[in-house]
Amino acid sequence: MHIETNRQLSNNINYMATLIKLKKGYDLNLAGEIAGAEVVAAAPAKCYGVVPDDFTGIIPRMEAKVGDKVAAGDVLYHDKNYDAIKVVSPVSGVVKAVNRGDRRKIESIVIEADNSGEKKKFNQGACDAKQVLLESGLWAMMRQRPYDIVPKPDVEIRDIFVTGFDSAPLAPSLMLVMGESSKYVAKGVEVLKSITSGCVYIGCREGEEVEAPGAETVVISGAHPAGNAGVQAANIAPVNKGETIITLDIVTLARIGELFTEGSVSHDTVVAVTGSEVETPHYVKAIMGCPVQSLLEDNLKNGGEGVRIISGNVLSGAKVDADGFLRAPYRHISVIPELLNKDEFMGWASLSTKKFSVYKNFTHWLLGGRKQNKMDARINGGERAIVMSGEYDRMLPMDIYAEFLIKAIIAFDIDKMEQLGIYEVAPEDFALAEYACTSKLELQRIVREGLDRMRKEME
């Protein structure tokens, strides 16, 4: 990592900013990217969904019942352990269903929209900004380190880290997603400053700096996962044992600013519909939790046969059905094939440039990375023992020994987990390493289970 300070980062504005150059990581060049910046509006949907699994660390306890009428911003449920943490409805309408799975776990809450546009009003002038954030549901859209969970209401926040870009494959520009709401960023920073005794950092790409008095601007260069707020935090001011930081994206920051300016929460979003199986990749303006089908609108190749729909990016997103809902963080849909070339000639031994590897195992590298690759959902191998080759470290621009940390998590060696940086990481930070893993280990699942077990042990 290389650091420079006090650079002039704009022709118009002189920022006393830090430039961080990350050397590790990798950018996957996938087919199906969006060519322009035009945004089309999605048709109003009949039903919208909220999935509790999107809000890690919350055990939902319903406040709204089936048949209840709700406005956008009304509480659907709160956390069983912290009543103050609320999750709210993105639209006005009637609670149509509370779908439960094994052991009565709430899997989704469906709201039948009335398209009235009714929004709950909040007292944005209240002295306690944290209480307003909790009541509005915006608190649940942030995450804390350690443990990568919705922050506890009573936690002492050392610093807050905001990421201003998404570096994942085919990810949208957060500046485009934020749109005209950028005018609320300064107010959002002011609110966040009131809930921490430390700094508010905004990580951004050079040329995409935002004017936000009170925030520390940090320009990040480098490949994915440079856009992860946790990776940025680890390279700016790492979290240590006994400390807590909060991470969020700049779109959520703008929503916070809008709440404290207008008195209501905006649940509008711009979604990038991307992937090799999309006929015309494009941006769609929609509402959080909208049906996936309303975003695709017969825009899939071969009628949508044999595809995998992912809410989010291909590395860390959640697989959803065609009749499912857009999942948090509500800004990306990726569609890829489930299976390509089932009976391909020579298989893994093929010399075709269509075959891809992070390493120079196939001839694709002769094209110099210019070719957009069409990949399917296969893992092309089976789980095996960890190969200690340093490949995780090459994909993770953090000052930790990733392979040793994974082994410590599997063994649940608490002392080693602490020494090796368990408090700094989140599952998404290991998504790229999971893709490149020759052992085919589910690293994100391992890290998530390790964080959950660690939290239960320490609390």
Side-chain angles (χ1 to χ4, degrees):
M1 180 184 72
H2 180 66
I3 299 178
E4 300 176 12
T5 58
N6 301 343
R7 281 194 56 185
Q8 180 175 324
L9 300 172
S10 170
N11 293 328
N12 301 318
I13 303 170
N14 289 333
Y15 288 94
M16 296 297 287
T18 300
L19 172 63
I20 296 180
K21 297 180 179 180
L22 301 180
K23 303 296 185 182
K24 299 179 181 179
Y26 192 88
D27 285 329
L28 285 173
N29 189 10
L30 300 184
E33 68 178 357
I34 299 175
E38 182 182 359
V39 180
V40 300
K46 183 178 180 181
C47 293
Y48 293 77
V50 174
V51 179
D53 280 350
D54 291 339
F55 305 97
T56 309
I58 291 182
I59 302 175
R61 177 164 287 177
M62 293 298 300
E63 290 192 21
K65 298 180 176 61
V66 174
D68 285 357
K69 190 179 186 311
V70 293
D74 279 344
V75 177
L76 295 176
Y77 64 86
H78 65 259
D79 182 22
K80 179 180 178 181
N81 296 321
Y82 296 93
D83 292 354
I85 301 178
K86 315 284 188 181
V87 174
V88 304
S89 173
V91 294
S92 62
V94 175
V95 178
K96 182 179 180 180
V98 178
N99 298 315
R100 297 179 182 267
D102 295 340
R103 302 178 67 179
R104 293 188 56 76
K105 175 187 175 182
I106 300 175
E107 295 186 337
S108 65
I109 302 160
V110 181
I111 301 98
E112 187 173 9
D114 58 18
N115 298 317
S116 68
E118 181 184 358
K119 293 184 177 181
K120 180 179 179 179
K121 284 290 185 179
F122 296 89
N123 179 17
Q124 72 269 33
C127 297
D128 190 348
K130 183 181 290 187
Q131 185 61 35
V132 178
L133 290 173
L134 287 162
E135 289 290 337
S136 67
L138 289 177
W139 185 267
M141 294 187 185
M142 301 187 288
R143 296 293 177 268
Q144 75 165 52
R145 304 284 173 104
Y147 310 128
D148 187 44
I149 58 174
V150 173
K152 299 177 183 177
D154 56 355
V155 73
E156 182 178 344
I157 305 166
R158 192 203 71 189
D159 294 308
I160 299 176
F161 295 85
V162 182
T163 181
F165 65 97
D166 191 341
S167 58
L170 302 177
S173 163
L174 295 191
M175 297 301 167
L176 189 148
V177 175
M178 182 170 55
E180 296 180 356
S181 296
S182 59
K183 62 186 178 183
Y184 298 114
V185 166
K187 183 63 176 180
V189 171
E190 179 186 329
V191 173
L192 293 186
K193 288 284 287 184
S194 71
I195 64 173
T196 177
S197 57
C199 294
V200 176
Y201 297 94
I202 300 180
C204 53
R205 291 294 198 193
E206 189 164 356
E208 294 186 346
E209 303 86 14
V210 293
E211 188 174 3
E216 300 287 337
T217 302
V218 182
V219 174
I220 311 289
S221 70
H224 184 66
N228 289 5
V231 169
Q232 295 174 16
N235 286 278
I236 298 169
V239 60
N240 300 307
K241 184 177 180 180
E243 298 176 339
T244 300
I245 63 172
I246 283 182
T247 64
L248 64 154
D249 62 33
I250 200 165
V251 179
T252 303
L253 176 65
R255 287 196 178 102
I256 291 172
E258 184 172 359
L259 166 65
F260 282 83
T261 302
E262 307 296 341
S264 60
V265 180
S266 171
H267 294 96
D268 293 340
T269 186
V270 174
V271 184
V273 181
T274 65
S276 61
E277 299 309 292
V278 176
E279 288 281 4
T280 308
H282 63 299
Y283 289 104
V284 182
K285 185 174 183 180
I287 299 176
M288 294 180 182
C290 66
V292 169
Q293 195 59 50
S294 69
L295 301 172
L296 300 177
E297 289 188 346
D298 301 321
N299 193 24
L300 298 182
K301 296 178 181 177
N302 300 319
E305 290 294 326
V307 301
R308 175 171 295 193
I309 303 172
I310 302 166
S311 186
N313 65 74
V314 295
L315 296 175
S316 59
K319 178 183 176 182
V320 295
D321 297 327
D323 58 354
F325 299 101
L326 179 67
R327 305 279 294 273
Y330 310 112
R331 59 172 182 257
H332 195 187
I333 289 287
S334 306
V335 188
I336 61 175
E338 279 286 1
L339 180 64
L340 275 175
N341 303 322
K342 180 179 179 181
D343 300 315
E344 61 185 328
F345 178 66
M346 296 180 68
W348 63 268
S350 170
L351 298 178
S352 171
T353 56
K354 294 181 180 181
K355 301 288 289 185
F356 178 82
S357 171
V358 171
Y359 313 104
K360 295 182 179 180
N361 296 342
F362 302 107
T363 55
H364 73 91
W365 65 272
L366 295 172
L367 300 176
R370 299 185 302 274
K371 181 179 180 296
Q372 291 186 331
N373 301 282
K374 183 176 180 179
M375 302 184 194
D376 60 27
R378 290 176 293 178
I379 63 173
N380 292 319
E383 188 173 313
R384 66 205 76 173
I386 294 179
V387 178
M388 301 294 287
S389 61
E391 61 187 355
Y392 298 172
D393 295 329
R394 290 195 290 270
M395 299 295 164
L396 186 59
M398 300 172 73
D399 190 19
I400 64 173
Y401 294 107
E403 290 170 340
F404 291 96
L405 176 57
I406 291 296
K407 293 179 75 173
I409 293 173
I410 293 172
F412 196 58
D413 187 327
I414 293 177
D415 290 339
K416 284 189 176 180
M417 289 164 68
E418 289 184 337
Q419 294 167 10
L420 293 168
I422 187 68
Y423 296 123
E424 297 183 51
V425 302
E428 68 173 1
D429 299 330
F430 282 80
L432 185 65
E434 180 178 303
Y435 169 78
C437 178
T438 56
S439 300
K440 308 298 181 182
L441 298 181
E442 296 180 14
L443 299 184
Q444 294 181 82
R445 176 186 59 79
I446 291 171
V447 172
R448 179 72 269 161
E449 291 176 356
L451 290 170
D452 291 342
R453 290 184 66 188
M454 190 79 171
R455 179 161 59 100
K456 289 179 182 178
E457 187 73 20
M458 303 303 290
E459 295 179 355

